[in-house]
Amino acid sequence: MGRSKTFSLGQPGDHQGKEKEMTSLGEEKDENVEVDRVELKKELGLIGGLSFLLGTTIGSGIFISPKGVLSATGSVGLCLTVWAGSGVISLMAALCYCELGPLIKQSGGDYTYLRLAYGNFPAFICCWVNFALLRPSSAAVKALTFGIYFSSVVETCGAPELLVRVTATVCVLAVLFLNCYSVKLSAALQIITTFAKVLSLFIIIVGGIYKMIEDSEKYTRQLRTGFEGSATNPSIIALAFYDALWAYGGWSSLNTMTEEVKNPSKNIPRANILSAVLVTFIYILTNVSYLVVMTKEELLAADAVAVLWGDRVLQSASVIMPLTVMISVLGSMNGSGFSTGRMIFAAGRDGNLPEVLSYVNVKRNTPLTSVIFTMTFGIIFIWLGNVSSLIDFVTFTSWVFYGMTFGSIIIFRFKYKDAPRPYKVPIIIPIIMVLIAIYLVIAPIIDAPDIRYLYGVIFALSASVLYVPLVHFKIKVPYIDTVTTYLQLFLEVSPPTNTREVSPPTKTD
């Protein structure tokens, strides 16, 4: 949105660092230029990257989506098929991002790939919709889930809905503070919460197995109903996939922070594939446990599925479940906040959003402004929407951009055919993913048009109203320089040292 007038705050203390010029793929190149370094640091190894993927993916979805999937499919057999199918889809999506991450070694994820593949305007629409709509509403869903499970263990005399929303807001503010304070602490929290949430799901899985061993005839009765009562409408089944894929969402999170991953050529593919496989097995077994312990009717009537499961299996120790769910959601929000800030950071650095959104805190090297603005929008959505409506809306809009990202792999095969590819996904996989994205976007609209889908399209197209004057013609917003200066002083942020345009891969990189 044009360049605003800025000044460098500089790094306090050390002034003897060497400038490292960034190559087209984000690799560092030493130059004898003595300047202060204000940039994102490479803090994430394989374990950290895997923890962010697992921690971002395993969040609220597995604790709220089983209800939606079962309701839409109508049968146990089709329900489990949708969960397994969504796992396969997430694995294929992860494989696509395994090629994109090492190929384009720059942060920003989908935004960066769309800009190189289709041009600046589609990328602007992507970052605008993510900045003002998708990522905040996604954060709101997770925060509201945190609030729902918190309210399940707190006795109140009234206003439970208010308690849910207030708790959700506090949760967002806590994640905001941590992401602004330290990348290392954020990564440490992600590892801790990932362990806690995997442990909680392991408890659910083992509990289900124990019940089947205890009384096989009783507890496998529902599983034996198979596909009785299955839905046959393709559009309804697409909505079931919406709920399941919401739970699997997160496969692109590591790619948004490529510049902070150590050895991205190896660690991004390894982390993406391991995460997709582990999550699929965990989710399928968790749903089997749910269906073993609860009847279909009980599961559909439950507001907090894991709490009801805990009451049936853990009894007096059932308080463990809502606590672990809250930890799980907190970790997922932390990972999402971490990755979202990096997409907005990249767009601000390129001039597609206000440049101040790319500024980095000079003391902690965190993209402070982008995280603050994204989380602020998330708090607004907490007070505007409800969980079920937000899930369908977010999934529908997300798959428009996912489809375009999968298509960018095909474009890059021709556009940058000589660029090095540490990992090369079989071309049939991105083709299949493009077709799946088209199905997931079109099927619900054809069968049951919903005004929310129209709102999403209108909101995306409204980006052109901003793009033409502010980005294309670079018309400066009045007082933007003053606002930028005050933000720099108050937040102690400065433009990143490695400010540059998104550049394509080359044969020599």
Side-chain angles (χ1 to χ4, degrees), residues 306-325:
V307 171
L308 179 58
W309 184 95
D311 290 339
R312 294 292 173 79
V313 179
L314 302 179
Q315 298 177 3
S316 60
S318 61
V319 70
I320 293 175
M321 294 316 301
L323 292 177
T324 54
V325 170

Side-chain angles (χ1 to χ4, degrees), residues 6 28 87 126 311 337 341 344 478 490:
T6 64
E28 294 184 343
C126 175
D311 290 339
I344 307 306
F490 180 70

Side-chain angles (χ1 to χ4, degrees), residues 213-255:
I213 295 174
E214 181 183 60
D215 191 339
S216 176
E217 180 65 26
K218 176 182 177 181
Y219 289 106
T220 62
R221 184 182 305 142
Q222 190 161 237
L223 295 178
R224 294 197 300 269
T225 61
F227 289 86
E228 292 178 12
S230 294
T232 56
N233 189 318
S235 298
I236 300 299
I237 295 174
L239 291 176
F241 273 100
Y242 272 17
D243 282 303
L245 287 169
W246 162 258
Y248 280 100
W251 58 71
S252 64
S253 60
L254 192 59
N255 289 57

Side-chain angles (χ1 to χ4, degrees), residues 124-420:
F124 174 80
I125 294 177
C126 175
C127 73
W128 167 247
V129 173
N130 272 277
F131 171 68
L133 197 64
L134 289 184
R135 300 306 178 97
S137 57
S138 176
V141 172
K142 295 173 182 178
L144 286 169
T145 304
F146 183 96
I148 290 171
Y149 277 87
F150 178 82
S151 64
S152 71
V153 297
V154 177
E155 294 184 4
T156 60
C157 58
E161 182 67 23
L162 178 62
L163 176 64
V164 168
R165 296 187 189 276
V166 170
T167 305
T169 302
V170 173
C171 180
V172 172
L173 291 175
V175 171
L176 168 61
F177 171 77
L178 187 64
N179 273 267
C180 292
Y181 185 75
S182 171
V183 172
K184 286 186 177 180
L185 281 180
S186 183
L189 174 67
Q190 203 65 15
I191 293 174
I192 294 170
T193 56
T194 297
F195 175 79
K197 68 181 64 180
V198 171
L199 177 62
S200 67
L201 292 176
F202 180 74
I203 291 173
I204 293 176
I205 292 169
V206 172
I209 294 173
Y210 172 78
K211 286 295 182 181
M212 285 189 287
I213 295 174
E214 181 183 60
D215 191 339
S216 176
E217 180 65 26
K218 176 182 177 181
Y219 289 106
T220 62
R221 184 182 305 142
Q222 190 161 237
L223 295 178
R224 294 197 300 269
T225 61
F227 289 86
E228 292 178 12
S230 294
T232 56
N233 189 318
S235 298
I236 300 299
I237 295 174
L239 291 176
F241 273 100
Y242 272 17
D243 282 303
L245 287 169
W246 162 258
Y248 280 100
W251 58 71
S252 64
S253 60
L254 192 59
N255 289 57
T256 64
M257 55 188 81
T258 300
E259 292 171 39
E260 294 163 273
V261 178
K262 301 174 183 176
N263 195 1
S265 297
K266 292 183 179 180
N267 286 333
I268 288 181
R270 290 172 180 173
N272 282 353
I273 293 172
L274 281 172
S275 173
V277 172
L278 287 173
V279 170
T280 300
F281 279 106
I282 291 173
Y283 279 7
I284 293 174
L285 294 176
T286 300
N287 275 277
V288 169
S289 181
Y290 285 152
L291 293 166
V292 163
V293 173
M294 293 174 280
T295 66
K296 288 171 55 177
E297 293 73 21
E298 289 172 336
L299 196 151
L300 292 174
D303 290 327
V305 177
V307 171
L308 179 58
W309 184 95
D311 290 339
R312 294 292 173 79
V313 179
L314 302 179
Q315 298 177 3
S316 60
S318 61
V319 70
I320 293 175
M321 294 316 301
L323 292 177
T324 54
V325 170
M326 287 189 286
I327 293 173
S328 175
V329 173
L330 182 65
S332 182
M333 285 190 62
N334 179 59
S336 295
F338 195 95
S339 61
T340 299
R342 275 59 182 174
M343 175 184 286
I344 307 306
F345 161 83
R349 185 174 59 186
D350 296 331
N352 274 325
L353 288 176
E355 186 186 3
V356 69
L357 293 177
S358 71
Y359 288 4
V360 177
N361 183 268
V362 297
K363 294 181 178 179
R364 307 190 182 281
N365 291 294
T366 56
L368 200 63
T369 51
S370 62
V371 175
I372 289 175
F373 276 83
T374 303
M375 291 299 186
T376 300
F377 275 87
I379 292 174
I380 293 173
F381 272 88
I382 286 173
W383 294 91
L384 292 180
N386 60 73
V387 171
S388 59
S389 63
L390 284 174
I391 287 177
D392 288 345
F393 179 69
V394 169
T395 308
F396 163 79
T397 314
S398 296
W399 274 91
V400 174
F401 297 112
Y402 283 145
M404 294 177 67
T405 301
F406 299 135
S408 70
I409 296 176
I410 302 171
I411 294 174
F412 291 157
R413 290 290 179 90
F414 295 96
K415 195 173 183 179
Y416 309 123
K417 60 182 179 180
D418 294 327

Side-chain angles (χ1 to χ4, degrees), residues 36-58:
D36 296 327
R37 300 296 292 162
V38 183
E39 62 178 6
L40 304 181
K41 302 296 183 182
K42 290 185 178 294
E43 304 278 8
L44 298 175
L46 176 60
I47 299 301
L50 180 61
S51 296
F52 265 102
L53 281 168
L54 289 174
T56 303
T57 303
I58 303 175

